[in-house]
Amino acid sequence: MSTLDPGSPPTDELPFFVYGTLLPGEPNHDLFLRGRTSGERAAVLPRALLYDGPGYPYAIDGHGRVHGTLLTAAPGVYGELLGLLDHLEEYLGPGHPRNLYERVVREVELPGEGAPGTREGQGPTGPPGTREGQGPPGTRAWVYLAAAAVTRSLRTSGSVIAEGRWVTGRPPGGPRTP
């Protein structure tokens, strides 16, 4: 599943948008990403909601914003990193019935890169119709969204994470607390 047009450029070596246990300072960041990234920067996934899970979050399509980090793979390790993340996120292939997450291409916003006529954190300031309803410029990235069965369950009985920011609330090495 992708929000891109069929004529879009290929998805070769896109960066990854992460929002949970792969964030800097979280346990899976060091386990899976140390030495495998050449760049990490703050980013926002628009049109998405974040739900609390069993020790990790889920993002789904929705009317909100999810805050996270955009990761660029280090030269020569893209295939390895993609395989590691697919395994961690229990992604077996597009639409596979045992997927926990689906890996999809989405446009993510890069805060601090305002377009002409915009101000950080505000809407357009230029003439009507310029970037109407859009945030800062962005880039395409792989994002792991909750698979269909998980999404249905979250929409029915899940707990949305306010502000779209996942925080474990635990000291390093300690148990997760609400």
Side-chain angles (χ1 to χ4, degrees):
M1 177 179 157
S2 171
T3 59
L4 301 175
D5 296 333
S8 294
T11 55
D12 295 339
E13 300 204 10
L14 288 176
F16 299 90
F17 175 81
V18 300
Y19 53 84
T21 65
L22 290 164
L23 289 169
E26 293 297 327
N28 284 334
H29 183 274
D30 283 349
L31 288 173
F32 291 90
L33 302 176
R34 183 175 291 211
R36 294 184 178 102
T37 64
S38 63
E40 300 181 5
R41 60 179 302 183
V44 175
L45 177 63
R47 297 172 300 284
L49 294 172
L50 195 61
Y51 281 83
D52 202 11
Y56 47 87
Y58 294 101
I60 67 169
D61 288 325
H63 298 289
R65 298 166 60 78
V66 174
H67 298 266
T69 299
L70 187 67
L71 309 170
T72 303
V77 300
Y78 189 85
E80 173 192 5
L81 182 57
L82 182 64
L84 286 169
L85 296 180
D86 282 353
H87 179 73
L88 173 68
E89 306 296 3
E90 298 183 39
Y91 171 73
L92 303 174
H96 194 285
R98 291 191 351 227
N99 282 350
L100 186 60
Y101 292 88
E102 289 286 340
R103 177 169 34 92
V104 298
V105 177
R106 291 289 189 268
E107 186 82 11
V108 296
E109 297 173 354
L110 304 172
E113 288 192 6
T118 64
R119 283 186 283 223
E120 176 90 24
Q122 297 182 5
T125 59
T130 58
R131 298 191 46 77
E132 185 77 29
Q134 297 180 19
T139 191
R140 295 172 34 208
W142 286 122
V143 180
Y144 291 90
L145 297 179
V150 176
T151 297
R152 283 191 297 275
S153 176
L154 291 169
R155 288 190 191 279
T156 302
S157 59
S159 177
V160 175
I161 297 174
E163 305 294 323
R165 294 180 192 271
W166 191 71
V167 181
T168 59
R170 61 161 170 70
R176 185 172 184 275
T177 58

